[in-house]
Amino acid sequence: MRSPILDYLDTLIAETQHVVEGQPADYIPELAAADPEKVAVALCTVNGTVYASGDTDHHFSIQSMSKPFAYALAIEDHGLAGIRDLIGVEPSGEAFNELSLDPETGRPRNPMINAGAIATHALISSEETSGLDRILEFFSRLTGRDVGLDDAVAASELATADRNLGLAYLLHASGQLDGDPQVSVEGYVQQCAASVTVADLALMASTLANGGVQPHSGERLLCRESTRHLLSVMATCGMYDAAGDWLTTVGIPAKSGVAGGIIGVLPGQIGVAVFSPRLDRHGNSVRGVAMMERLSEDLGLHLMEASRPARSALRETLRVTVEDQPATVYVLQGDLVLSSIEALVHELIESPPSTDLVVFDMARVDEVLPVARRTSSEMAAKLLDEGHRIIIVDPESTVADFTDSRGRGIERWSPERLESALG
Ligand code: GLN
């Protein structure tokens, strides 16, 4: 059975099809030649379940979405206090590739703009291991597979890297970059050319959502404190000079890349990734931003929204007899948001009810977000299609009436009726 969460992602892609403004990055020739119609979206829960839709096999370069992860390694090497002395944490309000440093401190303003990212790359490089090898090995741990480089993108960017070279020389001149500026830019550009899919990125983002523990391997890749620090910097600086707009509309820590990807992190709940190559003037994917805005609205991701407990919607599953028939009763609870309903849907798909009669007891449910309403209705329709009889105990009428493809509907019972039927 196809998960209704995947159906939702398909709809998201279909409903943003009209967003065709912007152009692929043109200052890197290989990116200018990208197919602008490619589009993909993926979610990964903190339990490691990945949902991906669209061009899910399409590989593209990670670009600036590599910056937070390189910064994580630099924090590991230098400690939080140490790194703060080297790279600032203030939004610059300038373009990502602006040729400027903080006039007071002479340091890069933050690690998400190129000045800070080139300095970061140099900080994670040593005589023994190149920064590039370290970051690729980190990406491999984060994604659970061997991440390689898109050599064509790296070569193309290196051939046109005057601006980044300018930045590296500026850093070197002000004492903020040890070593050869050219070598640092080469390493940084290759770091940006790591080749990934949206599912890889969603998994990487979910590690940040999960406090630094990779959900599949269970390996702690970042400590809690660094994760919190990193997410704070992503929230304020991740979308460059569009950061304020982003935080007010989408409202989650995020990072974009000029190949067209954007990752977002909802702490404690999910990692998200979208891809579409056409960019706005800030260098952020136009359709990607549109998809993220929809996701945030539909899934209730905005951080400043009154917080909802991230517990599972499924309180318990009972196998009982209802009116002399064996039945499975799913007792739901709390607010139904995407991450809580996902656990229920996952359970229903992985171990479908073994009885014909299925009861959803929603008497303990508080608020239901539109996406959860839609997902639970679609799930019920799928169960009806498979031949189940469905009873819903829904005193607040949170689930809409509907019928399946053969015209059969759900039955509505009051809590009292269920109680007396259970005996
Ligand atoms: N490699 C790109 C650059 O340095 C990354 C920029 C980005 O993704 N915003 O220009």
Side-chain angles (χ1 to χ4, degrees), residues 190-319:
Q190 287 175 310
Q191 162 192 320
C192 290
S195 178
V196 291
T197 65
V198 278
D200 290 333
L201 290 170
L203 191 51
M204 292 166 79
S206 77
T207 301
L208 301 181
N210 198 28
V213 175
Q214 211 272 15
H216 289 172
S217 64
E219 191 181 1
R220 176 164 288 288
L221 297 178
L222 272 110
C223 74
R224 278 204 154 268
E225 256 190 318
S226 314
T227 311
R228 190 183 62 202
H229 176 87
L230 176 57
L231 289 175
S232 311
V233 176
M234 285 170 72
T236 50
C237 312
M239 298 301 277
Y240 312 123
D241 43 343
D245 210 14
W246 177 266
L247 195 59
T248 47
T249 55
V250 181
I252 54 172
K255 187 75 211 78
S256 60
V258 283
I262 306 176
I263 55 170
V265 178
L266 183 63
Q269 298 193 37
I270 52 175
V272 215
V274 293
F275 173 75
S276 164
R278 293 191 189 91
L279 309 181
D280 62 17
R281 65 189 169 83
H282 306 289
N284 300 328
S285 165
V286 182
R287 189 173 176 185
V289 171
M291 288 194 280
M292 283 287 204
E293 283 176 356
R294 279 287 299 270
L295 279 167
S296 172
E297 186 61 34
D298 292 349
L299 310 187
L301 301 183
H302 202 296
L303 276 177
M304 305 308 166
E305 185 101 36
S307 69
R308 301 162 193 277
R311 61 180 175 166
S312 164
L314 186 58
R315 182 185 169 99
E316 55 182 338
T317 308
L318 309 170
R319 311 231 185 267

Side-chain angles (χ1 to χ4, degrees), residues 27-28 63-64 67 96 114 157 164 188 192 240 256-258:
Y27 71 102
I28 301 174
Q63 296 298 340
S64 287
K67 292 171 180 174
F96 68 88
N114 288 11
E157 185 170 352
N164 282 331
Y188 159 74
C192 290
Y240 312 123
S256 60
V258 283

Side-chain angles (χ1 to χ4, degrees), residues 70 73 77 120-139 149 183-184 186-188 190-191:
L73 290 178
D77 292 357
T120 304
H121 186 88
L123 287 173
I124 62 171
S125 308
S126 67
E127 300 259 303
E128 300 83 56
T129 337
S130 75
L132 180 65
D133 286 345
R134 281 191 68 196
I135 191 89
L136 285 179
E137 124 90 14
F138 195 40
F139 289 158
L149 293 187
V183 171
S184 298
E186 260 174 45
Y188 159 74
Q190 287 175 310
Q191 162 192 320

Side-chain angles (χ1 to χ4, degrees), residues 45-99:
T45 66
V46 289
N47 300 322
T49 312
V50 178
Y51 299 91
S53 171
D55 297 305
T56 53
D57 295 333
H58 182 60
H59 283 67
F60 50 92
S61 50
I62 192 167
Q63 296 298 340
S64 287
M65 293 177 289
S66 65
K67 292 171 180 174
F69 299 98
Y71 184 53
L73 290 178
I75 297 175
E76 196 171 288
D77 292 357
H78 299 267
L80 271 177
I83 202 77
R84 275 171 168 279
D85 288 339
L86 298 164
I87 300 172
V89 291
E90 295 302 333
S92 68
E94 294 174 338
F96 68 88
N97 54 5
E98 194 62 33
L99 280 167

